[in-house]
Amino acid sequence: PLATALSEALSAAMIPLAVRNLPEALREIKRRSLRMMHWIFPLAVVLLSASNWWYPWVFSPEFREGIPVVNAFFLIVISRMVFPRALLLAVQANRVLLCTSLLELALLVLFGLLWAPTWGIQGIAWATVAAYFFEKAIQVIWLYWRQGISPGQFIPLGWWMFYSALLGAAYLFSLS
């Protein structure tokens, strides 16, 4: 929830700048998102890695079975640290936002229906992570394809990939 609130706040704060001065907004989104990544990703990695300890302590040992679900939801941080929304609003691509949101919802339902019978609530968590990821990926691709805005202009790609791999590794380690 913290990553969601902060990422939405950053995205909303960047809209007026993106409307006024898109090149400056690209640099500012990249700079501010990197600053956010440097503490959100490590915090997520630590919380995910230590979830076997803190989760039963915070909630109660009876809820220990919920740890894999909570751990899967930590993967949402990967897509939350990408900020195409402000740019799409600045270039008045409202239809793209609507269509990608509807696609996200459709994918969430589809993946949920496909994965829940096999993996239960864990499948729903993975469906959520996958749907969010696809939404952001399509938005980033659209910005590149239709507006010529490459991902590297507003995403610190090296750091994002490093932190995403680190979080993914922590998640895989939590499965064992």
Side-chain angles (χ1 to χ4, degrees):
L2 177 65
T4 300
L6 292 173
S7 67
E8 289 302 318
L10 174 60
S11 187
M14 291 292 101
I15 293 168
L17 177 60
V19 169
R20 278 192 324 270
N21 187 339
L22 189 59
E24 184 181 340
L26 293 168
R27 289 187 298 275
E28 194 64 18
I29 289 170
K30 188 172 184 174
R31 185 182 71 76
R32 288 186 185 196
S33 65
L34 178 60
R35 192 168 57 196
M36 191 181 297
M37 283 181 200
H38 283 325
W39 68 274
I40 291 287
F41 270 114
L43 179 62
V45 168
V46 167
L47 288 173
L48 191 154
S49 299
S51 63
N52 284 329
W53 174 79
W54 67 263
Y55 191 85
W57 180 75
V58 169
F59 296 102
S60 78
E62 291 81 31
F63 293 109
R64 182 173 285 283
E65 290 180 19
I67 293 172
V69 176
V70 170
N71 287 350
F73 276 118
F74 275 111
L75 297 174
I76 288 177
V77 168
I78 295 169
S79 62
R80 291 287 189 213
M81 294 296 105
V82 177
F83 300 94
R85 186 171 153 255
L87 303 172
L88 289 165
L89 287 169
V91 299
Q92 298 180 350
N94 299 332
R95 180 172 279 178
V96 173
L97 285 168
L98 174 63
C99 290
T100 57
S101 294
L102 292 173
L103 179 62
E104 175 198 333
L105 179 60
L107 289 173
L108 176 59
V109 170
L110 176 66
F111 292 158
L113 289 172
L114 291 173
W115 298 345
T118 304
W119 296 297
I121 191 113
Q122 181 79 27
I124 301 297
W126 290 333
T128 305
V129 171
Y132 279 37
F133 179 83
F134 279 114
E135 178 195 32
K136 292 290 181 93
I138 290 167
Q139 291 173 352
V140 169
I141 290 166
W142 188 91
L143 282 168
Y144 179 69
W145 178 56
R146 298 293 291 198
Q147 297 294 317
I149 300 171
S150 71
Q153 288 180 271
F154 66 98
I155 303 168
L157 289 173
W159 280 106
W160 180 80
M161 288 188 288
F162 168 74
Y163 281 134
S164 297
L166 187 64
L167 185 60
Y171 176 72
L172 292 175
F173 181 73
S174 77
L175 295 175
S176 56

